């Protein structure tokens, strides 16, 4: 699995500041329908971008708590400041499978791009359910990597790169089983939806432009891919210029703990 050390934490932060992921956070916050004074848990808070934006939405009477298992991510998140009038935000080192909080203390809990890295998703969802108050909302967002459309000329090489990249997650196809898993944990699931990430024309400062070096670093030496193979894959994509085409779906599930 991908280790979130200082270098990869910085790469995640860069790609999460691109317009696609800024818009993803906007949609997540709108769907959570946060109110002033609410207490929100951000599980796998990573660089803390969503945490501080949610702190703005719940205001000074609210509270946001972030948790993560990566110290590099927690350090990065702790340096982030929220907008004026934002709720206090605290970050804790904790795995989602055993949250260090009492029962029924949060109004909302969110895990974006986290559960696909988790071995025991059922335990994670049971923990999200336990710490939510009755009527509380959970939002889970994950990628299904089979939804990727990435134009290239060397299709077999692209397939080898993406097969090796699938290994960076415990479950690269988690969304297709999440409704059942949420219901099993005791949630009522509302209508799921997708957030497509689309980049047409190559540009480094886009979600997929930033993803290319992350994938390149991870797959080199995996699945028989040499540094030369990966360099050629990278160069081919960059050289596509205006013919470059990438799309990928995020799947979003809003659920409620029965009240
Ligand atoms: C791709 S990042 C997403 C960060 C953040 N949720 C966001 O959307 O901006 C995944 C994060 O999940 C964290 N993570 C992975 N497994 C975890 C676990 N079992 N418990 C808590 N956090 C975990 C990683 O350390 C990393 O910070």
């Amino acid at each position: 699995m991908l280790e979130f050390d200082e270098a990869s934490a910085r790469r995640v932060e860069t790609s999460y500041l691109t317009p696609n992921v800024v818009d993803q956070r906007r949609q997540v916050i709108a769907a959570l329908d946060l109110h002033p004074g609410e207490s929100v848990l951000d599980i796998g808070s990573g660089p803390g971008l969503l945490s501080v934006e949610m702190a703005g939405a719940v205001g000074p009477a609210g509270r946001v708590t972030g948790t993560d298992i990566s110290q590099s991510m927690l350090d990065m998140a702790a340096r982030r400041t929220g907008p004026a009038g934002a709720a206090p935000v605290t970050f804790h080192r904790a795995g989602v499978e055993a949250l260090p909080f009492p029962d029924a203390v949060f109004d909302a809990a969110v895990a974006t791009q986290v559960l696909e890295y988790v071995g025991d998703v059922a335990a994670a969802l049971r923990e999200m359910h336990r710490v939510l108050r009755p009527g509380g909302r959970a939002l889970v967002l994950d990628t299904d990597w089979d939804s990727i459309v990435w134009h290239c000329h060397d299709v077999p090489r692209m397939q080898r790169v993406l097969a090796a990249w699938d290994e960076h997650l415990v479950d690269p196809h988690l969304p297709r089983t999440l409704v059942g898993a949420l219901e099993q944990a005791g949630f009522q699931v509302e209508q799921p939806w997708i957030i497509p990430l689309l980049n047409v024309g190559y540009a480094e400062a886009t979600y997929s432009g930033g993803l290319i070096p992350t994938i390149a670093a991870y797959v080199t030496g995996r699945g028989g891919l040499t540094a030369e193979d990966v360099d050629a894959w990278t160069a081919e994509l960059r050289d596509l210029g205006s013919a470059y085409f990438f799309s990928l779906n995020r799947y979003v599930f809003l659920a409620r703990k029965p009240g």
Side-chain angles (χ1 to χ4, degrees):
M1 241 179 55
L2 187 63
E3 293 284 323
F4 288 100
D5 57 13
E6 212 179 313
S8 57
R10 242 181 285 112
R11 280 199 291 264
V12 167
E13 180 187 43
T14 302
S15 80
Y16 283 16
L17 287 167
T18 59
N20 285 122
V21 190
V22 170
D23 182 61
Q24 173 186 303
R25 282 193 297 280
R26 185 191 57 73
Q27 292 195 42
V28 164
I29 291 171
L32 280 169
D33 191 24
L34 297 173
H35 295 287
E38 287 195 314
S39 180
V40 187
L41 176 63
D42 185 7
I43 291 165
S45 43
L49 291 158
L50 180 61
S51 302
V52 298
E53 289 177 23
M54 293 194 296
V58 296
R63 164 169 290 279
V64 175
T65 306
T67 60
D68 208 288
I69 51 169
S70 157
Q71 194 55 50
S72 302
M73 286 293 200
L74 289 164
D75 292 344
M76 180 177 275
R79 288 193 292 271
R80 200 169 300 287
T81 49
V89 186
T90 53
F91 293 99
H92 304 262
R93 191 166 194 178
V96 59
E97 307 87 340
L99 294 170
F101 309 111
D103 296 355
V105 287
F106 294 103
D107 298 296
V110 56
T112 60
Q113 291 289 112
V114 178
L115 295 189
E116 58 201 48
Y117 293 91
V118 170
D120 191 345
V121 171
L125 292 174
R126 279 198 301 275
E127 278 295 85
M128 283 180 83
H129 188 271
R130 179 183 66 75
V131 299
L132 279 172
R133 66 164 173 78
R137 295 92 77 202
L139 188 146
V140 177
L141 176 151
D142 284 285
T143 301
D144 189 321
W145 284 90
D146 270 0
S147 69
I148 197 164
V149 179
W150 213 344
H151 176 52
C152 66
H153 298 303
D154 191 335
V155 173
R157 183 175 63 208
M158 176 65 88
Q159 286 169 340
R160 289 173 63 210
V161 168
L162 292 178
W165 175 239
D166 272 354
E167 293 172 20
H168 88 286
L169 297 165
V170 174
D171 187 351
H173 312 300
L174 180 64
R176 58 190 78 174
T177 56
L178 267 175
V179 168
L182 281 158
E183 287 176 350
Q184 193 67 34
F187 286 106
Q188 287 170 345
V189 183
E190 298 184 3
Q191 183 62 45
W193 73 99
I194 59 170
I195 300 176
L197 310 182
L198 176 65
N199 300 144
V200 178
Y202 177 77
E204 196 179 325
T206 57
Y207 172 76
S208 64
L211 185 64
I212 292 169
T214 300
I215 294 180
Y218 183 81
V219 302
T220 302
R222 292 175 188 267
L225 286 160
T226 64
E228 291 71 34
D229 293 329
V230 177
D231 284 349
W233 173 78
T234 300
E236 188 202 337
L237 289 174
R238 288 183 176 153
D239 291 349
L240 282 172
S242 60
Y244 179 89
F245 185 98
F246 167 96
S247 87
L248 181 69
N249 289 340
R250 308 293 210 205
Y251 293 79
V252 196
F253 303 85
L254 184 64
R256 198 169 287 275
K257 178 173 177 171

